[in-house]
């Protein structure tokens, strides 16, 4: 039986809220009386629709993340979305980028969210804002800043003060900045999401913490006011939607092409019997993982399901409409099994990573046009931009990389990236072993996160032994250690998990290392990270080395035989070909023939990871905005962390077409 005291409490709460929100059955959410000529955005539960300035409003939206597209291209890409017939752009806000540490907040350059919102408004697009704080989005730690993991016992996405306190501080800064862009204040933001597919997390962790969701709702309400539409998004299943649902926040669902649209919206209707139908993430493509085939979704399927949704007057957001790039080391991983996402976030979206459009784009536009008017195609519109054919650049060997590592002292047991407040990159763990061991002795590192090169140095030789990998579940290696040998383990952080119950993904070596069953102690630790400051220092060293000329080194046969696991730095200065005189540099694609796995830096900007050895991404998108026009010099630096099979010289090639669909070991 339903406890009556709770029932009364509910009625009282409803009454109180009802007077503010006009929530009585049959009336509408967030509609102030006489608001027809003011800027208002609300939900009509009577008419099952959104209401904008007093008129019914159905949105057709597309996702584009400002942090994944060069700022200089924001307006051009938004205009393409408008030409496709979209009326809205949906974006996440990525906390980790804006607050790389708790004392520093960044809103400049590619993180100038005000400029992005203004660009959307100028283009005639409304904005659906998804501030997280957790966003998934195939980003490191799902967009949460890794510094919150310094607290070992933190419970992410809960009411744990270790989580909510920094969220509150961040939200206050963020909303102070963007409140003037709310629709009611003259800006483009019509709706704000609370959390992000929380139902999936709750369902997987087995605990739906409503108090947390309500706390986040109240925090958001307190910052934007009661008259802004808040919504949640959850996967298209009753369990997920129930778990993610928050009182007084409108519940929406997400699903892709091929779904049974009737059934999918029936799930939303079970939770929201009245109000607009909304698919907040309709997938025209899908994400990729290194080593697994490139994902593709056909235009026919996309068109068919889009048609079915528009026919029932649903609101749709296409995720992604323009995916862009996970520049730097910002890409995240998925778990169970551990799979790492590549640098490209093309997503097989209607607007490609490099801003080009094709059949899928035009099919969507035609479909939208059959329901509502779309803007004319401007005469300057081109399906593809011209790409730079900048030829082949011979790369020069600079040095092995270990002299760049920053020292963190000696620790009895291994410590993590987060303990050291190192966000990304590599940690080197070194220890000298003593005494006798079995022969061979197994080096066991069950807590390897995520990929490690193991070396053994004796008085006579320094030898690379092999690679450990969390993804491949290779967690041990046989060694033949002698008293006094130095064991060195170089660990790569491949990107923190962004989805599911293993979100609290600390990196480095977690737990102890054993050799022949004995726990190894006294680890000397040093690290190589890629922050603005460390990359500047690295680039300075590289440019000095290039100037001093000691650079032309042909790769020899024997180098190839011994290069595996020898992390090395390579660089080159180059001018764009003179046929580009007086032209702005064009976008281009970098191909890495014979290179194995590593990181590319262009004019001090970390472009991202490459790993053509496993695919499917074979080329990296290099926006022209990162290049300098002729006759200025450009510098490209490469940290090759694995092995080289380029002979006799290691080159990179600039090409005019992308290849993100290369051969992979797995389906
Ligand atoms: C979709 O689901 C509805 C309701 O469950 C069902 O009646 C209908 O047959 C399904 N359509 C298809 C094409 O499977
Ligand atoms: C690692 O070993 C030390 C002993 O050297 C022990 O105190 C510690 O609890 C171990 N850590 C883990 C995570 O097992
Ligand atoms: C490199 O290794 C191959 C295969 O083991 C061997 O045939 C070749 O002689 C080696 N080359 C050099 C220069 O050591």
């Amino acid at each position: 039986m339903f406890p009556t005291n709770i029932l009364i409490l509910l009625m009282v709460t409803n009454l109180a809220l009802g007077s503010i929100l006009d929530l009585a059955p049959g009336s509408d959410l967030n509609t102030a009386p006489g608001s027809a000529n003011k800027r208002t955005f609300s939900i009509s539960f009577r008419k099952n629709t959104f209401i904008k300035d007093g008129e019914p409003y159905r949105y057709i939206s597309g996702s584009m993340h400002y942090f994944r597209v060069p700022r200089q291209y924001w307006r051009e890409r938004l205009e393409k979305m408008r030409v496709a017939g979209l009326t809205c752009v949906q974006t996440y806000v990525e906390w980790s980028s804006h607050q790389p540490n708790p004392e520093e907040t960044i809103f400049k350059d590619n993180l100038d969210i005000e400029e992005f919102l203004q660009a959307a408004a100028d283009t005639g697009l409304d904005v659906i804002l998804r501030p997280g704080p957790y966003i998934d989005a195939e980003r490191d730690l799902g967009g949460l800043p890794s510094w919150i993991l310094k607290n070992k016992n933190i419970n992410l996405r809960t009411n744990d003060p270790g989580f909510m306190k920094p969220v509150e501080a961040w939200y206050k800064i963020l909303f102070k900045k963007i409140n003037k862009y709310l629709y009611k204040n003259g800006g483009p933001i019509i709706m704000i999401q609370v959390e992000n597919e929380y139902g999936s997390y709750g369902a997987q962790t087995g605990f739906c913490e409503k108090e947390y969701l309500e706390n986040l709702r109240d925090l958001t309400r307190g910052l934007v006011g009661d008259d802004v539409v808040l919504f949640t998004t959850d996967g298209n299943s009753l369990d997920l939607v129930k778990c993610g649902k928050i009182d007084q926040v409108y519940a929406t669902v997400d699903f892709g092409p091929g779904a049974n649209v009737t059934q999918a919206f029936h799930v939303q209707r079970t939770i929201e019997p009245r109000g607009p139908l909304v698919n907040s993430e309709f997938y025209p493509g899908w994400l990729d993982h290194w080593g697994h085939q490139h994902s593709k979704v056909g235009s026919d399927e996309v068109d068919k399901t889009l048609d079915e949704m528009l026919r029932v007057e649903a609101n749709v957001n296409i995720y992604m409409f323009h995916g862009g790039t996970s520049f730097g080391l910002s890409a995240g991983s998925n778990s169970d099994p551990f799979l790492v996402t590549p640098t490209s976030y093309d997503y097989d979206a209607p607007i490609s990573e490099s801003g080009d459009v094709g059949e899928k784009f035009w099919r969507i536009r035609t479909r939208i046009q059959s329901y509502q008017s779309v803007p004319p195609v401007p005469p300057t519109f081109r399906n593809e931009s011209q790409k730079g054919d900048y030829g082949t650049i011979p790369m020069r060997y600079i040095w092995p990389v270990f002299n760049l590592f920053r020292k963190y002292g000696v620790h009895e047991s291994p410590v993590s990236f987060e303990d050291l407040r190192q966000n990304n990159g590599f940690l080197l763990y070194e220890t000298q072993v003593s005494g006798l061991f079995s022969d061979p002795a197994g080096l066991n590192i069950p807590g390897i996160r995520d990929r490690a090169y193991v070396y053994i140095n004796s008085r006579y030789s320094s030898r690379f032994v092999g690679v450990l990998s969390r993804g491949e579940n290779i967690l041990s290696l046989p060694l033949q250690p002698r008293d006094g040998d130095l064991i060195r383990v170089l660990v790569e952080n491949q990107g923190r998990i962004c989805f599911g119950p293993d979100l609290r993904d600390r990196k480095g070596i977690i737990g102890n290392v054993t050799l022949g069953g004995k726990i190894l102690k006294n680890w000397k630790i040093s690290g190589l990270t890629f922050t603005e400051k460390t990359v500047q220092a690295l680039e300075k060293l590289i440019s000095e080395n290039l100037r001093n000329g000691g650079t032309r080194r042909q790769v020899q046969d024997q180098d190839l035989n011994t290069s595996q696991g020898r992390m090395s730095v390579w660089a080159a200065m180059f001018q764009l070909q003179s046929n580009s005189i007086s032209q702005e540099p064009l976008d281009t694609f970098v191909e890495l023939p014979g290179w194995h796995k590593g990181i590319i830096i262009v004019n001090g900007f970390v472009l991202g990871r490459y790993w053509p050895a496993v695919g499917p991404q074979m080329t990296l998108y290099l926006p022209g905005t990162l290049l300098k026009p002729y006759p200025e010099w450009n510098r490209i630096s490469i940290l090759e962390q694995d092995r080289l099979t380029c002979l006799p010289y290691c080159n990179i090639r600039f090409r005019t077409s992308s290849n993100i669909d290369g051969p992979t070991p797995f389906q």
Side-chain angles (χ1 to χ4, degrees):
M1 199 180 118
F2 204 78
T4 40
N5 53 343
I6 292 181
L7 191 62
I8 289 164
L9 193 70
L10 278 174
M11 287 170 65
V12 170
T13 313
N14 257 338
L15 215 68
L17 283 167
S19 59
I20 305 165
L21 300 178
D22 192 15
L23 258 188
S27 73
D28 297 339
L29 181 62
N30 301 345
T31 311
S35 61
N37 47 8
K38 280 200 340 225
R39 288 178 67 93
T40 56
F41 188 82
S42 62
I43 290 174
S44 169
F45 290 99
R46 237 174 315 152
K47 298 181 185 142
N48 293 330
T49 177
F50 291 112
I51 301 278
K52 193 178 171 193
D53 300 339
E55 296 295 322
Y57 173 85
R58 179 258 289 277
Y59 71 70
I60 305 175
S61 168
S63 287
M64 162 179 160
H65 303 147
Y66 58 93
F67 45 87
R68 276 179 157 135
V69 178
R71 172 198 177 111
Q72 295 89 331
Y73 295 155
W74 286 348
R75 283 174 188 263
E76 189 249 337
R77 306 286 159 84
L78 289 167
E79 273 155 21
K80 282 194 166 128
M81 292 171 75
R82 189 67 198 103
V83 169
L86 305 184
T87 58
C88 273
V89 56
Q90 190 208 59
T91 185
Y92 282 125
V93 179
E94 187 174 52
W95 181 13
S96 59
S97 291
H98 288 284
Q99 285 201 319
N101 58 69
E103 299 83 31
E104 188 188 6
T105 308
I106 306 175
F107 284 110
K108 63 175 174 141
D109 304 333
N110 238 80
L111 297 172
D112 187 349
I113 188 169
E114 284 194 73
E115 164 60 19
F116 181 77
L117 294 169
Q118 191 56 53
D122 294 347
T123 313
L125 293 168
D126 294 322
V127 174
I128 299 169
L129 196 74
R130 307 212 285 174
Y134 162 82
I135 61 171
D136 182 0
E138 287 69 62
R139 302 288 283 187
D140 184 87
L141 197 56
L144 300 174
S146 68
W147 48 260
I148 56 174
L149 295 183
K150 191 163 192 331
N151 171 353
K152 277 196 177 61
N153 301 316
I154 192 167
N155 283 313
L156 302 174
R157 305 176 72 184
T158 70
N159 253 343
D160 180 347
F163 181 69
M164 275 313 282
K165 277 228 173 88
V167 169
E168 278 166 31
W170 159 236
Y171 262 39
K172 278 180 190 154
I173 296 170
L174 173 66
F175 282 100
K176 190 163 172 221
K177 196 95 186 156
I178 63 177
N179 256 354
K180 56 176 171 290
Y181 296 93
L182 295 174
Y183 191 73
K184 63 173 176 177
N185 296 335
I189 301 171
I190 52 171
M191 292 166 63
I192 297 176
Q193 186 181 268
V194 182
E195 245 283 345
N196 185 56
E197 291 188 332
Y198 178 81
S200 302
Y201 191 62
Q204 284 169 315
T205 55
F207 192 67
C208 298
E209 195 180 295
K210 293 288 180 187
E211 296 79 6
Y212 157 63
L213 294 175
E214 286 162 7
N215 204 359
L216 195 58
R217 171 200 64 195
D218 294 346
L219 174 65
T220 312
R221 278 240 174 281
L223 291 166
V224 301
D226 288 339
D227 50 357
V228 174
V229 173
L230 302 185
F231 72 104
T232 55
T233 303
D234 278 294
N236 160 41
S237 109
L238 204 49
D239 286 356
L240 304 184
V241 181
K242 269 186 182 157
C243 173
K245 167 70 185 170
I246 315 169
D247 245 7
Q248 314 298 328
V249 176
Y250 193 68
T252 73
V253 290
D254 55 26
F255 56 90
N260 181 325
V261 168
T262 315
Q263 233 165 46
F265 283 133
H266 181 72
V267 170
Q268 191 197 356
R269 275 283 171 257
T270 314
I271 301 291
E272 298 289 358
R274 301 199 62 81
L277 297 175
V278 183
N279 181 352
S280 289
E281 289 190 5
F282 173 62
Y283 309 108
W286 193 246
L287 57 107
D288 280 344
H289 290 119
W290 288 118
H292 292 255
Q293 241 170 37
H294 174 51
S295 308
K296 277 173 275 190
V297 175
S299 301
D300 287 345
E301 285 174 78
V302 173
D303 181 46
K304 179 171 174 289
T305 307
L306 180 62
D307 185 25
E308 287 169 16
M309 290 190 291
L310 296 182
R311 201 179 310 149
V312 294
E313 288 171 25
N315 299 265
V316 180
N317 173 68
I318 298 172
Y319 184 103
M320 299 296 295
F321 203 83
H322 175 36
T325 311
S326 295
F327 292 113
L329 305 181
S330 62
S333 300
N334 281 300
S335 70
D336 203 16
F338 183 76
L339 293 169
V340 185
T341 63
T343 302
S344 170
Y345 200 64
D346 178 87
Y347 219 84
D348 200 25
I351 302 178
S352 79
E353 182 175 13
S354 52
D356 300 323
V357 308
E359 196 218 347
K360 200 177 279 180
F361 178 93
W362 295 113
R363 289 282 294 275
I364 289 173
R365 182 174 187 273
T366 305
R367 182 54 63 198
I368 293 174
Q369 196 170 18
S370 70
Y371 287 93
Q372 56 195 52
S373 70
V374 302
V377 180
T380 51
F381 192 99
R382 279 186 302 160
N383 277 357
E384 291 182 16
S385 65
Q386 195 191 344
K387 302 297 187 299
D389 180 4
Y390 295 130
T392 295
I393 312 287
M395 298 299 295
R396 297 167 175 201
Y397 178 81
I398 305 290
W399 13 237
V401 82
F402 289 119
N403 40 351
L404 293 175
F405 277 55
R406 171 181 167 194
K407 293 175 176 54
Y408 287 121
V410 176
H411 297 256
E412 178 167 327
S413 299
V415 295
S416 68
F417 277 72
E418 292 74 18
D419 290 327
L420 299 166
R421 279 254 187 127
Q422 180 174 318
N423 178 37
N424 58 28
F426 301 85
L427 281 183
L428 177 65
Y429 299 77
E430 301 173 283
T431 189
Q432 196 161 31
V433 299
S434 57
L436 288 184
F437 291 88
S438 56
D439 182 9
L443 179 75
N444 255 296
I445 317 185
I448 198 77
R449 296 188 183 166
D450 302 298
R451 182 180 165 91
Y453 304 90
V454 177
Y455 311 84
I456 181 161
N457 291 16
S458 70
R459 276 173 58 198
Y460 310 105
S461 71
S462 164
R463 210 160 59 75
F464 167 69
V465 191
V467 184
L468 300 177
S469 162
R470 178 187 192 180
E472 300 311 316
N473 200 28
I474 298 168
L475 310 175
S476 63
L477 278 173
L479 302 185
Q480 291 179 287
R482 304 289 296 267
D483 192 14
D485 281 358
L486 186 69
I487 310 280
R488 312 172 83 204
V489 184
L490 174 62
V491 182
E492 180 198 358
N493 167 354
Q494 292 186 279
R496 292 181 185 79
I497 288 171
C498 57
F499 181 79
D502 305 324
L503 189 62
R504 193 172 55 191
D505 187 22
R506 299 155 59 78
K507 295 300 194 183
I509 295 178
I510 308 301
N512 282 316
V513 177
T514 59
L515 180 61
K518 294 186 203 173
I519 292 178
L520 298 183
K521 289 186 190 169
N522 301 322
W523 292 91
K524 193 169 100 189
I525 301 178
S526 55
L528 180 64
T529 180
F530 295 81
T531 62
E532 210 175 302
K533 240 169 78 187
T534 58
V535 170
Q536 267 172 21
L538 175 72
E539 288 281 285
K540 190 157 165 274
L541 282 171
I542 289 173
S543 76
E544 279 163 14
N545 195 295
L546 279 172
R547 251 201 314 278
N548 295 339
T551 55
R552 251 197 208 291
R553 186 182 144 189
Q554 192 167 333
V555 178
Q556 308 288 345
D557 260 346
Q558 70 255 30
D559 292 325
L560 294 183
N561 280 6
T562 58
S563 77
Q564 190 175 10
R566 302 273 175 233
M567 200 185 241
S568 55
V569 175
W570 300 71
M573 301 293 291
F574 63 96
Q575 289 169 301
L576 299 186
Q577 284 154 0
S578 45
N579 67 4
S580 55
I581 294 182
S582 83
Q583 259 184 27
E584 287 297 300
L586 302 169
D587 290 2
T588 183
F589 300 94
V590 186
E591 184 182 35
L592 298 119
W595 300 76
H596 193 98
K597 181 182 194 326
I599 294 167
I600 304 190
I601 302 170
V602 178
N603 291 326
F605 180 86
V606 182
L607 194 61
R609 300 181 174 98
Y610 64 88
W611 198 359
V614 297
Q617 184 174 2
M618 307 305 282
T619 60
L620 277 87
Y621 171 55
L622 172 53
T625 53
L626 294 172
L627 292 170
K628 298 177 193 165
Y630 183 86
E632 287 181 70
W633 287 86
N634 292 279
R635 184 173 51 238
I636 195 154
S637 311
I638 297 186
L639 186 131
E640 166 61 49
Q641 66 192 69
D642 229 287
R643 66 195 293 186
L644 296 162
T645 49
C646 32
L647 193 79
Y649 288 105
C650 289
N651 303 322
I652 59 157
R653 258 203 302 273
F654 292 117
R655 348 184 321 165
T656 55
S657 62
S658 117
N659 179 6
I660 54 170
D661 194 7
T664 56
F666 305 109
Q667 280 284 303

